Each structure stands twice: as C-alpha cells, then as structure tokens.
Amino acid sequence: MTRVPSPPDMEAIVAKLSDISLRGEKIANGRLPWPNRLDFAMGGFWSEDLDSLTHTAIGAELSEAQRQQLRFQELRNLFSISFHSEQKLIHGLRDVRERHEDSPVDAYLQVFTQEEERHSHWFSSYCKRYCGSLLPDELPKFLNDSSGHSARLVFLSLAFLVESVLDVYNRRLARDMSLQPIVRRINHLHSVEEARHMSFDRAALQNCVAVMEAEMGLAATEAELQTVTGFLAQIPPLLVKSFCSPALYAAAGLDNPQEASLQAIAHGPTTGIHQMALASSRKFLSDLGLLPAAS
C-alpha cells in the first residue's frame, strides 16, 4: 500500500508560504536591538528549566556565578548549533533547487535560502559580539553517500529533525520575560520563520516518497526506505550529544567537561526535552517509513 495516497500540491504550498514570507519580510529585516555589551543585571540568557545539568551531581555543586556562566554558554551553544545547521541547510538546498529549476518551488527555495542566510547572520553576530566565537560544529552532515531520491530524503529529514528540536528551545526562550530582549527577539524571529520551513519540509518529504513510489514501485521504495531509516535512526542521540557537548562545559569553565557531558545526557533534562520535541516529528517520519515506529 502506498505511504502517500494524496501527494501534496507543492506549487500551492509554496505560493502560500511565499506570501507569508513576503508579508513578514519587513519585520524580519528590521534592526535588532544589539546592546553594546551584555550585563547580567539586565536579564538572563537561558530559561532555568532548560539547564542541562539539572539533577546531576556536578550541577548540584555549582555556585550561582558558575550557574550564570553556564546559562550564558548554553545559549551560545544553541546559537552555534543553529548557525551550523543553517549552513548545512543552505548548502543542501542547492541540490533540491536543481530538481525544481525555473519552477515556483525553485522561486520559494530562493526565499527560503535568503531567510536561512539571515538567521545565520543573527546567530554568528551574537556569538562573535558577546562570546568571541561560535562553538565547534558537532552536528552530523545533512548528506550521506546516497544518491537521487534517497539523498533528498536524508537531507530533508535531517533538516526537519534538527529544526524540530531547535523550535522547542526557540519558543521557550522567546516567551521567557526574565531574559534579555536581544535573546528573546532572536529566538522569536527564528521560530516564526522556521515554522514555514518545517511546513515545506513536511510537504517536500511526502512529495519525495510519492515520486519514489511512482518511479521505482512500492517494493523497491520500501527497500530504499529501510536503508535511509538505518541512517536516520542515529540522528536523535547525536542531537542530544551536541546539546550536552564537552565543548559547552569547557567554555563554561567546568573542571571536567567530559564527565559533565556524560552526566547531562544520563540524568539531565535534555534527553527528555528532545524526546518531547521530536514526538510528533518522529511519528510523521515513521509513517513515511523514514524512522522506526516509537516503541
């Protein structure tokens, strides 16, 4: 039985998304309220319920000053992950555009790319202005050795999984009124535009599977999907590791960054936050045959 009985109308979808992008462009391109320097007395940088070392032995021993510094670096890590994912997405969109050259989908993907470039600028600007630099890229590549349909499925699925996690953090930080205005503003703007990108990802993934079924047949498509599933199943645990990276804890000045990372993954809230963030996305990808069904 086909996994996509009613393939989405991509041209209608991108027409709607393009219209929304156009209406929001003035706000997204507006001047951000960059302070000359960040003052801890003017607000926080990270919501307390997202602290990655909560419920860990190392976290329990932190002084208030260390806790503040860790939260400062948690945001730096989030923005670094966001920047690196945007760069991978921009690179991969070139291949997607080739398949839709000179079509309404291609025109929308130009807008999509411009928005990702704008996001990259926000994240790199914040980290370079206030933290000195971005943290290292620890995300997996958004591509693997697959070719054709499978490569597009891997790329779109990876982007969708990363965006699903980032969206939960963005929304939480955007509505936390105890945080600095620049922190809330960047997170809010990013969540608004990424909602459109995730809508495109969903439709594009359905369309890609439908095209595979039409061109390859159901049996060959299912065999190909099993290969893709094996690769994508590795991604959620890698995302947790990137959010609890030793580089984060080293930047925060903790004595044993490796042990902090292990404790955060095993006992902190990050694993649960990611499971919640990915619940609906995993169900969607599972229905398409791109991830195993939740146990």
Side-chain angles (χ1 to χ4, degrees):
M1 186 174 70
T2 178
R3 288 186 178 272
V4 188
S6 300
D9 183 340
M10 292 301 296
E11 292 196 3
I13 288 169
V14 298
K16 180 178 180 180
L17 294 175
S18 295
D19 180 62
I20 297 171
S21 290
L22 182 62
R23 286 189 275 119
E25 186 175 13
K26 183 176 180 180
I27 294 173
N29 279 328
R31 182 187 174 97
L32 286 175
W34 297 110
N36 291 330
R37 64 184 182 86
L38 295 180
D39 184 348
F40 281 80
M42 297 301 293
F45 301 94
W46 191 252
S47 299
E48 292 184 16
D49 55 310
L50 301 178
D51 285 356
S52 62
L53 287 177
T54 299
H55 308 309
T56 68
I58 289 178
E61 297 297 321
L62 295 179
S63 67
E64 186 56 32
Q66 288 174 314
R67 208 174 301 280
Q68 277 195 337
Q69 181 57 220
L70 176 59
R71 289 173 183 156
F72 180 69
Q73 296 299 334
E74 297 253 35
L75 180 67
R76 180 189 182 189
N77 191 46
L78 175 70
F79 282 178
S80 296
I81 291 169
S82 301
F83 173 84
H84 296 311
S85 71
E86 304 284 10
Q87 292 299 296
K88 295 173 196 292
L89 190 52
I90 291 168
H91 177 74
L93 282 174
R94 296 171 191 154
D95 294 330
V96 178
R97 286 181 59 188
E98 285 182 6
R99 181 174 177 83
H100 300 281
E101 192 171 7
D102 298 326
S103 73
V105 175
D106 179 35
Y108 173 68
L109 289 177
Q110 292 182 50
V111 175
F112 192 132
T113 300
Q114 290 167 1
E115 290 174 347
E116 298 295 18
E117 289 172 343
R118 180 163 61 226
H119 304 166
S120 293
H121 175 70
W122 295 339
F123 299 130
S124 64
S125 294
Y126 180 93
C127 290
K128 290 174 182 176
R129 279 172 183 256
Y130 307 123
C131 311
S133 65
L134 294 151
L135 289 175
D137 180 9
E138 298 185 10
L139 290 174
K141 293 180 180 179
F142 277 22
L143 301 169
N144 66 359
D145 296 330
S146 304
S147 60
H149 297 303
S150 293
R152 286 190 291 277
L153 283 173
V154 168
F155 167 70
L156 291 166
S157 298
L158 277 166
F160 187 60
L161 287 168
V162 174
E163 288 165 349
S164 297
V165 171
L166 292 176
D167 184 62
V168 167
Y169 285 88
N170 289 156
R171 291 177 184 274
R172 177 67 186 93
L173 296 170
R175 69 174 184 263
D176 188 340
M177 298 305 294
S178 71
L179 304 186
Q180 306 235 352
I182 186 63
V183 174
R184 289 187 280 111
R185 185 64 174 164
I186 291 174
N187 280 284
H188 170 70
L189 290 173
H190 191 237
S191 70
V192 168
E193 295 200 327
E194 286 302 315
R196 297 196 293 272
H197 298 178
M198 291 172 69
S199 294
F200 174 84
D201 292 344
R202 280 179 174 269
L205 282 162
Q206 290 175 312
N207 182 263
C208 193
V209 172
V211 170
M212 284 179 71
E213 291 178 339
E215 294 183 358
M216 299 171 55
L218 297 183
T221 296
E222 287 299 316
E224 196 70 18
L225 291 178
Q226 287 184 18
T227 301
V228 174
T229 296
F231 176 78
L232 291 177
Q234 308 170 59
I235 303 306
L238 291 177
L239 285 176
V240 172
K241 289 182 180 179
S242 70
F243 275 76
C244 300
S245 166
L248 158 65
Y249 304 116
L254 301 190
D255 292 334
N256 194 335
Q258 293 287 347
E259 179 59 25
S261 175
L262 293 173
Q263 289 189 21
I265 293 169
H267 305 296
T270 305
T271 298
I273 291 169
H274 283 224
Q275 288 173 346
M276 179 271 295
L278 291 174
S280 64
S281 299
R282 289 193 68 128
K283 173 65 166 58
F284 170 75
L285 293 174
S286 174
D287 288 345
L288 286 179
L290 293 168
L291 276 180
S295 55

